[in-house]
Amino acid sequence: MMNMPALDATHDPARRSWLPAANVPGADFPVQNLPFGVFRATASGRPRIGVAIGDRVLDVVAALEVGCLEVSERVASACHLPQLNGLMGQPVEGRLALREGLSMLLSEGSRLAGDRALHERLFRPIHEVQLLVPADVGDYTDFYASIDHASNVGSMFRPDNPLLPNYKWVPIGYHGRASSVVSSGTAVRRPQGQAKAPEAAEPTFGPSRQLDYELELGAWIAEGNALGSPVPMEAAEGHLFGVSLLNDWSARDIQSWEYQPLGPFLGKNFATTISPWVVSMEALAPFRVPAFARPAGDPPPLPYLDSEENRRFGGLALTLEVRLQSARMRERGTAPVLLSRADFRRMYWTMAQLLSHHTSGGCNLRPGDLLGSGTVSGPSREERGCLLELSWRGQEPIALPSGETRAFLEDGDEVLLTGFAERDGAVRIGLGECRGTILAAVI
């Protein structure tokens, strides 16, 4: 069963939009992208489904109401909902028809191009709207799919045995907290919790002193599966709707004290920030690459985690970046500084493998559920996706342009995640931004 999105006219690199901002080289949202999101035009307005194009948001509901888009009644009904869950759960044929219609509407030659009255009704500048969490997240699961990240963290705590015996056999994950998933731009309150310093006789309770970010990719579930019915690898891609940037904020001191024997809890559940735009798997079709080539001697995936299609096209050619701006840098007008840049192609487990494994015991996933990749890191220092790795557990603080240093995050720090996909013969597309600023703990 082949379920990987195919290339079609919507990916044509010669296709251009009649909106000039969408044709700027390096723009995140050209007509080949068309990511979905949910926005409010006013603070009290009803959430509406939109599509990013250039520097604007197309109001999909308004486009349907004026007859600019022709889709099935079922897809149209899903587009009128205040979140993306209904659209995510549509059959792939309906989603493809919607993407084709949007592409035609926003490309040169569209009848909409010269209609200024419709422009005012259908479009809003992105910077003028409030962007929301794009779906009602029923469940959120975070994984640990980067072998470089797992090896780095493991070597800090177990220098002689960085990777535990199960890592190369089974995708490791934990169930996160869906209620604390927030949209980009939402401030993050420093959590309080119980921690124990290595030299201390007993733990203490107070604000986290080792607050960290994690550079991740989030995958949104499309069609769900029935309870007790695993999704085989041959069908897994069809259950993925699209991806967003994800910051899995982590209180390392709380986490290190509490995680044994059951894993992350309060060190992770206080906030997870998601970027507001969902780049569809269809938009990512030109950027599919082979799954990570395992080194000689590594075990092959067990049969339920393997397929020819995944081996050939399971990877994503995405570059993810993280920047930091301290309060002092902001006061001085200093731009955020690049801390790391990582290649998603190096992930040991693909998104399809994460999904298939998640359902292998019969767990039912639903449209709008969220899977986190785990921290995306690489083999070099400049590819490390969190401060725990970059500062090597605080022993090698990072120097900022302001003269400050960071081992972990301070109050007032803003973390900015970005990402993009590019290759020869295709138009570069971006993932937008995932921002969050740290506020002092409530004591």
Side-chain angles (χ1 to χ4, degrees), residues 259-346:
Y259 84 101
Q260 298 186 59
L262 292 181
F265 183 36
L266 300 186
K268 295 277 193 176
N269 73 351
F270 56 95
T272 299
T273 303
I274 197 83
S275 60
W277 296 112
V278 183
V279 176
S280 69
M281 302 310 293
E282 288 75 27
L284 291 168
F287 309 102
R288 302 311 297 255
V289 294
F292 178 70
R294 298 187 171 202
D298 279 16
L302 293 177
Y304 83 100
L305 291 173
D306 190 27
S307 74
E308 180 181 356
E309 186 180 41
N310 188 71
R311 291 193 298 270
R312 294 176 60 195
F313 303 112
L316 288 168
L318 292 173
T319 299
L320 305 183
E321 299 176 333
V322 57
R323 291 172 171 80
L324 186 145
Q325 185 184 51
S326 69
R328 184 183 302 177
M329 291 169 64
R330 209 157 40 247
E331 291 170 359
R332 295 179 177 179
T334 304
V337 60
L338 178 67
L339 295 185
S340 66
R341 177 182 291 120
D343 187 347
F344 197 75
R345 285 176 291 191
R346 287 193 56 83

Side-chain angles (χ1 to χ4, degrees), residues 339-391:
L339 295 185
S340 66
R341 177 182 291 120
D343 187 347
F344 197 75
R345 285 176 291 191
R346 287 193 56 83
M347 301 302 279
Y348 199 78
W349 299 100
T350 68
M351 285 297 191
Q353 286 173 318
L354 301 184
L355 186 150
S356 193
H357 178 68
H358 202 316
T359 68
S360 61
C363 175
N364 56 320
L365 299 179
R366 295 169 292 184
D369 283 357
L370 181 62
L371 306 183
S373 65
T375 303
V376 183
S377 294
S380 64
R381 190 174 191 273
E382 58 270 18
E383 296 175 289
R384 297 174 183 172
C386 63
L387 282 176
L388 179 68
E389 292 176 83
L390 275 172
S391 72

Side-chain angles (χ1 to χ4, degrees), residues 80-122:
H80 279 78
L81 297 175
Q83 64 277 318
L84 288 175
N85 300 68
L87 185 58
M88 289 173 168
Q90 294 299 305
V92 66
E93 295 80 10
R95 303 201 310 264
L96 287 171
L98 176 59
R99 175 176 167 83
E100 181 180 0
L102 289 166
S103 181
M104 293 176 63
L105 183 68
L106 296 168
S107 295
E108 289 178 336
S110 166
R111 68 179 179 86
L112 185 59
D115 195 329
R116 294 192 176 277
L118 274 182
H119 294 180
E120 293 188 8
R121 179 171 178 179
L122 301 187

Side-chain angles (χ1 to χ4, degrees), residues 190 209-213 249 323-331 337 339 381 386-415 437-438:
R190 181 180 297 273
R209 297 180 180 179
Q210 296 182 351
L211 188 56
D212 202 356
Y213 61 82
W249 303 95
R323 291 172 171 80
L324 186 145
Q325 185 184 51
S326 69
R328 184 183 302 177
M329 291 169 64
R330 209 157 40 247
E331 291 170 359
V337 60
L339 295 185
R381 190 174 191 273
C386 63
L387 282 176
L388 179 68
E389 292 176 83
L390 275 172
S391 72
W392 208 253
R393 208 179 176 186
Q395 298 174 18
E396 302 170 10
I398 308 301
L400 301 180
S402 56
E404 303 167 277
T405 61
R406 287 292 183 274
F408 294 98
L409 296 172
E410 300 290 342
D411 294 345
D413 287 349
E414 181 181 51
V415 178
T437 300
I438 304 302

